[in-house]
Every structure is written in structure tokens, then in C-alpha cells.
Amino acid sequence: MYKLLSIVFLIGSSVAALADTIEVEMLTKNDAGDRMVFSQELIRAEIGDVILFLPTDRSHNAQSVKGALPDGQESFKGKQNKAVEYLVTETGLSAVVCAPHQAMGMVALIVVGNDLSNAQQVLDARLRGKGKDKIKALIEQAKATQP
Ligand SMILES: [Cu+2]
């Protein structure tokens, strides 16, 4: 149902890159026993990829945060208990939150093209509680683990 196969042919090149669909589950409890979490919290992607947030457990959503995404990247807001897609069109960082649980730390950070240039804007955006602390930690983690 949610399968999406996007093939991007790089013009002028013999290389054909296959865009990925990255599945992220919205969980009340993960296998490690952590509560109110996305299954991936540091999500690395490239332009053309689709990040698909799945309503594996109930009462969660995924949405972007005003000011905490790259210029030109379309914002998104999933409904509770519904899958939502984020089609990556720009490089940079995006914060993603679950509206009911962001203050409990249910957030994720998308890193596209290993571009961390909008880190300060993301830190300045309106994030709450443990979610804000976790986004800060994820930015540090992204810096420390640059591929
Ligand atoms: Cu949630």
C-alpha cells in the first residue's frame, strides 16, 4: 500500500540512483523499553528519498516544526494514527515531532546530504521539554558521526 519506487536518472551520467523509502515507526515502547519514541531518531537521507512515518502504535503523529527545516522544504503535518510521508527536496536539518509527546522526547532529526548549516535555526525553533534537549543531542550526534 505504501510502496513507492522512485527512480531518479541522473542526466548526463551513466549512473542511475535509486531513491530510498526510509520507514520510521511511531512507537509507544521500543524493543529497548524506551517509551514514546520514533524507531529512528537520527535519520540520514538524500534528496529524492521519501521518509515514511508509520502509525505502528496508536496515539502518535509526525509533523515538522516551523523554522526547523531547510529553506524550500515543504512543511508537513500527519494526523494521529495515520502514516505520513516527507519527500526530501532540500539538504539540511529538519526537526520532526510527535505533537502529543514531544515534551516527553518524541522527536527525530532528519539530516539530508550531511548538511548541518541550519543547525542554529533548528535550535532556535519552538521545541518543548525533553524534545528540545533531544534535538540538541541529535545535532551533536550528527556532527560527531559525519559520514
Ligand atoms: Cu507520540
Side-chain angles (χ1 to χ4, degrees):
M1 184 175 173
Y2 299 118
K3 279 200 178 148
L4 176 74
L5 188 66
S6 322
I7 299 172
V8 178
F9 289 103
L10 301 176
I11 297 166
S13 158
S14 59
V15 178
L18 190 63
D20 289 325
T21 296
I22 300 165
E23 295 188 354
V24 179
E25 294 181 286
M26 300 186 270
L27 301 173
T28 296
K29 193 176 174 186
N30 68 11
D31 292 341
D34 302 316
R35 291 187 169 275
M36 310 305 177
V37 286
F38 290 102
S39 61
Q40 288 186 63
E41 297 185 319
L42 180 61
I43 303 163
R44 291 192 181 273
E46 297 300 331
I47 287 176
D49 289 348
V50 171
I51 302 165
L52 176 59
F53 294 91
L54 294 169
T56 304
D57 292 336
R58 289 189 61 79
S59 306
H60 305 289
N61 85 324
Q63 64 185 61
S64 54
V65 176
K66 196 179 173 197
L69 70 180
D71 286 344
Q73 178 68 49
E74 203 177 322
S75 63
F76 74 101
K77 186 173 185 176
K79 292 197 168 86
Q80 267 189 52
N81 306 317
K82 298 284 183 197
V84 62
E85 284 184 357
Y86 173 117
L87 171 61
V88 177
T89 65
E90 309 294 332
T91 66
L93 300 175
S94 298
V96 176
V97 303
C98 166
H101 304 120
Q102 71 150 311
M104 297 171 72
M106 188 163 175
V107 300
L109 182 73
I110 300 171
V111 186
V112 178
N114 199 34
D115 174 2
L116 307 172
S117 60
N118 65 329
Q120 194 56 52
Q121 285 98 301
V122 172
L123 289 170
D124 291 342
R126 200 153 165 245
L127 292 156
R128 291 195 208 104
K130 278 169 85 177
K132 192 173 184 78
D133 299 337
K134 194 182 277 183
I135 288 291
K136 214 178 209 176
L138 288 168
I139 290 173
E140 290 309 312
Q141 193 184 332
K143 282 180 185 164
T145 59
Q146 294 195 51

